[in-house]
Structures are given as C-alpha cells and as structure tokens.
Amino acid sequence: MTCINEIFLGVHWSLESSEGFDEYLKAKGTPWIIRKAIGAAPYTITWNYLDTHKWLVHHKGIEINMGVDTVTERFTKMNDKERPEEVYTYYVENEKLVQEMARDGIKCTRTFKGWRPKN
C-alpha cells in the first residue's frame, strides 16, 4: 500500500500544453534564450513505486509531499536564501496530469497526457 494515489504511479506523463509558462519563467528572472529552450524541449514526468514509502521520481525536486489526490514539490535554493521557495502542485483531472505554479502573481498551468508503457 502506498500513500500516493495509484493514478500517479507507473504512468509516463508527457507535456501536452502550457498556459503562462513563459511569463512564469520571466517572473523568475530566467533569460529569454533559456526560456525558449525550456519551452521547446520535450518534457516527461514518471513516478514509480519502489517499496514501502519509497518512490523513484524521474523529475528534479528537493522535497516531495504525497497527498491522497495531489503531489506537491517544494524547491529551495540552498545557496540563495533570499529567493522565494518554489511550489509545484500536481493533480489528475479528466485523465490528465495538471501542474500548477505561481510566482509574483503570475500563474502557470501545464497539462500532461499520460500513457503506460507496455511490458
């Protein structure tokens, strides 16, 4: 039994659409050329259950909290305590993974289409 909802596990979530992502990156101070490279790159997230209370997350993150229906990642720059913490929230809606982020009042929503690999 895991404490993360099974709907997240074993699915490859591929980026399908983004709303406000460039504006979000701009609010973070990301340079234009980096924003364009990030926006053009394919992006997939996968969560896999390893054993009791352990997960393998193919995605960068520092603290990951698993809720019943949500996953929350918190990023803190260890060498720059002045920068605000970043919080990414994930949930599944209409069989799609939704990622929400905000920075300085700029909200971003990214939607991922899921697929399970054939064994």
Side-chain angles (χ1 to χ4, degrees):
M1 179 88 156
T2 68
C3 67
I4 183 174
N5 192 315
E6 298 289 330
I7 60 175
F8 292 102
L9 298 173
V11 179
H12 295 285
W13 299 99
S14 298
L15 182 63
E16 187 173 69
S17 66
S18 290
E19 294 178 29
F21 188 58
D22 190 66
E23 293 84 359
Y24 170 79
L25 292 175
K26 188 175 183 179
K28 287 179 50 173
T30 306
W32 178 87
I33 192 72
I34 302 297
R35 293 194 322 260
K36 297 307 169 196
I38 292 170
Y43 189 65
T44 302
I45 301 171
T46 305
W47 285 284
N48 288 306
Y49 182 66
L50 296 179
D51 58 37
T52 306
H53 304 297
K54 292 182 183 176
W55 298 269
L56 176 62
V57 180
H58 292 286
H59 181 59
K60 51 194 171 290
I62 294 174
E63 176 186 330
I64 301 175
N65 297 315
M66 310 297 187
V68 174
D69 295 322
T70 62
V71 174
T72 304
E73 291 181 295
R74 297 182 181 279
F75 296 82
T76 304
K77 288 276 189 177
M78 302 306 284
N79 59 351
D80 187 356
K81 301 292 184 183
E82 299 300 314
R83 293 188 74 170
E85 174 183 69
E86 294 182 39
V87 179
Y88 300 170
T89 301
Y90 301 87
Y91 57 91
V92 175
E93 182 176 83
N94 298 324
E95 299 183 4
K96 304 226 183 226
L97 180 71
V98 179
Q99 176 188 35
E100 294 179 341
M101 307 173 263
R103 177 69 168 255
D104 298 333
I106 306 292
K107 293 183 180 180
C108 169
T109 302
R110 303 182 92 193
T111 305
F112 298 79
K113 182 178 181 180
W115 56 277
R116 291 189 186 275
K118 294 179 182 178
N119 293 332

